[in-house]
Amino acid sequence: MSLPPVPLPAERIPPGTADWRTSDTRRWLAAVPARWAHPLWATLALLVSVVWELEAGPAAACTSADPCGTDWPGLGVAVVMVLTPYWVWRQPRLALAGLAAVTAALAVEEGFATFGRPSALAFLLAVAFTTAGILHRLAAAGRQRSLALEAAGPVAQPLPPAARTFRRGRLSFILAAVLLAVAGFGFWQAQQVADAYEERAAGATHLSGRVTALDRGDEDTDVVTVTADGRAHRFETAFPEDFPVGSRVDIVVDGGWKALVAEPYDVFGWELLVLGGSVVGLAFLVNGAAGRAGSRRLRRGPLPVLHVLVREGRDDGRTWVFAADDPAGLRPVLHFHSLSAFEDEQDDEGETGPGPDDEHASAVELGRLRDILRGDGSEPPMREAVLYGVPYAGAEVAFVARDDADDDEVIVECSVNAVKPAEPGWRKPGAQRRGRKSVRRSADEVAAGMTPTTGPRTWRAHGFSRAVGLGLLLVEGGGIWAMLDDGPSWTWLLLIVGLPWLVTAVATALTWRITADRGGLWVTGAWRVRRVPWDVITSVRLSEDTLRVGVAKDGSVDISPTGFVWLERRLGREPGAERVADEMRALLLHPELRPPEEAPPGQQGMPVGPPLAALSVLWGAAVLLLL
């Protein structure tokens, strides 16, 4: 039987606030976009069509009249092209502008006749499908807004003072500034290379020659030989197909320095830095600006208010909103992430500063976040709340509620991301946890199904865990080969840093083992076997792919990875590590089920990290000898 919601003091509920009832929320949920308009399908269509077009579309050849130097307009189009699928999810109105810009750039570059090519036509169809989906989503958000206003009625209230001081976007702006500065540095470096070439080429000797040989080497070491003015000149090229044997090319020579006019310099690395920094920097910049604009809209004037119930998701920290007459939380309406807002206090010098209450609230927030990340804590309670703002897909809202029944203080929380409708069967809060199709069994239920044994009870790596280990082993072997293939380089530092983690993960996933006997647990990881007595164990739980045995005063003993929990659940199977955690928890809470015998050395397990590390070193030596 569920507990009653944590009540909100009557004086904190504005007069005339309407209840958002189930009948209203059903109409609101019925206005969600159709499944075909989900951003996932549009994003996949765009990505597939863009990859096809890049693969099948004609590539401009490097010529003396049109050399392959810097192409900043083309790079700008590439930035928009990469950002657009992301904006389809987060900023649909900007995505419309991005789709228009990319389509116009393609038409200007090659003419509208280019859309007769199958790959370009597929891209155009993907753009049309994405545009239709975005327009449908925006129209659905408009219908939800109208329904929410109808449910709220004519009552409007000013935002609570604490919410009016809440600011969003600061971290996004800082990250955007750093990343855009990195992009600017890459642009400056590329221009330095281009300007240095132009300056030197202006005073060099310009010659016309004929390609007499083309040596195709490994990877990017293709070499073209040009004979000009009776001398042979060799140039490395990234596009050997542009210089067939017998063709004429222009070169510039200045003493020992020389270059192909068609392919004068290589700034691909700097262009890649500009592309990456611009894409991520602009994404943060737009997110920060959108968050700041949403906060300002909330503070602009009196807002509609709705009486609702809220609950914090135990697994992900989302705030889930329910109808006011749904105390059992049977049907979530919408969700968003939120943070507590506090009124700024003036210190003695008239400047704003944090007070003791702010420090206490920060500690509470950190503790709550830690519990969410570790999967600790009990099920959060249902709370009575007043929702400020018009809820619809993409909106910003705030709410007032008590934190729990033992705390009389009323808190104000503001959304830090856009409101999303609760889709049927998708990420429901409460007992149906992330991707899980059934409620986790209690220790008593697990114990009732276990048969006592006289000998030690052993759990070991199962099929999914070994599959993860084999996959990581292939990654490890291939990584060693790839990084040692070019001889000594800075990439060896990555190998030195990453190899210990890979060896640990592979050894654990392939051969982890836990043995329970009369005195406690023998936990076999990658490098050692640990003895954990029963009387110091405080908890046993599965956190993602990590089996975590809580130990008094010592933190925990962890085994990771123990499989692929996400995939196992998606395939409709009970994760093997979850079953192990449940049975270990049952033994912890029911001592009568523990084996009466001690485990002999042969059953305590043996770590395979050391021999695997030795084999990895031998494999690396073999690669060096073979290359």
Side-chain angles (χ1 to χ4, degrees), residues 19 37 50 58 65 136 175 208 221 288 316 415 417 419 424 436 439 502 563 605:
D19 290 344
V50 167
H136 177 72
L175 293 175
S208 179
T221 58
D316 52 18
S415 61
N417 69 332
V419 165
R436 186 180 295 178
V439 181
L502 272 175

Side-chain angles (χ1 to χ4, degrees), residues 63 129 229 366 431 474 560 562 600:
T63 64
F129 174 72
D229 199 22
L366 290 175
L474 292 176
S560 178
T562 55

Side-chain angles (χ1 to χ4, degrees), residues 127-395:
V127 169
F129 174 72
T130 304
T131 301
I134 291 174
L135 294 176
H136 177 72
R137 289 163 54 198
L138 293 176
R143 290 193 297 272
Q144 287 181 325
R145 188 178 189 279
S146 299
L147 291 170
L149 284 171
E150 181 183 339
V155 176
Q157 296 290 331
L159 201 63
R164 288 199 292 270
T165 64
F166 188 80
R167 297 290 184 271
R168 281 190 56 193
R170 293 175 183 173
L171 179 60
S172 293
F173 287 139
I174 293 173
L175 293 175
V178 172
L179 290 165
L180 291 176
V182 170
F185 174 75
F187 174 81
W188 177 70
Q189 287 291 340
Q191 281 299 115
Q192 289 287 100
V193 174
D195 293 344
Y197 165 79
E198 295 293 344
E199 182 179 352
R200 186 141 193 188
T205 302
H206 290 250
L207 300 174
S208 179
R210 188 176 301 275
V211 177
T212 55
L214 182 60
D215 299 326
R216 291 182 175 270
D218 296 333
E219 298 181 356
D220 298 329
T221 58
D222 300 303
V223 176
V224 59
T225 302
V226 179
T227 301
D229 199 22
R231 295 182 58 187
H233 304 271
R234 291 168 59 84
F235 304 91
E236 288 189 1
T237 175
F239 306 101
E241 62 275 7
D242 293 340
F243 308 102
V245 174
S247 61
R248 297 200 64 85
V249 296
D250 297 323
I251 63 175
V252 288
V253 179
D254 183 15
W257 176 86
K258 54 191 175 183
L260 289 167
V261 173
E263 194 179 329
Y265 46 80
D266 181 13
V267 291
F268 177 75
W270 295 119
E271 288 178 325
L272 195 62
L273 182 64
V274 173
L275 177 66
S278 299
V279 167
V280 184
L282 286 174
F284 277 116
L285 180 64
V286 169
N287 287 346
R292 185 62 59 87
S295 297
R296 286 177 178 173
R297 283 195 297 270
L298 279 180
R299 301 193 302 269
R300 191 170 297 166
L303 299 170
V305 288
L306 287 166
H307 185 210
V308 297
L309 298 175
V310 298
R311 172 186 284 164
E312 184 177 349
R314 178 179 175 182
D315 288 337
D316 52 18
R318 284 183 175 85
T319 296
W320 294 82
V321 176
F322 300 82
D325 56 352
D326 184 16
L330 300 178
R331 186 65 179 94
V333 183
L334 56 90
H335 61 88
F336 51 86
H337 285 284
S338 62
L339 288 176
S340 299
F342 305 95
E343 295 185 50
D344 289 340
E345 297 181 359
Q346 300 293 325
D347 59 20
D348 295 337
E349 297 179 1
E351 298 180 353
T352 301
D357 292 340
D358 294 337
E359 296 178 1
H360 172 70
S362 299
V364 171
E365 291 291 341
L366 290 175
R368 182 184 302 172
L369 178 61
R370 183 176 60 251
D371 289 343
I372 290 170
L373 295 176
R374 297 179 58 182
D376 293 344
S378 58
E379 191 70 35
M382 189 76 77
R383 297 179 290 162
E384 189 181 15
V386 173
L387 193 69
Y388 287 80
V390 186
Y392 60 90

Side-chain angles (χ1 to χ4, degrees), residues 400-415:
V400 175
R402 286 173 61 193
D403 198 11
D404 54 57
D406 298 328
D407 190 352
D408 293 333
E409 183 181 0
V410 173
I411 61 171
V412 178
E413 295 193 32
C414 296
S415 61

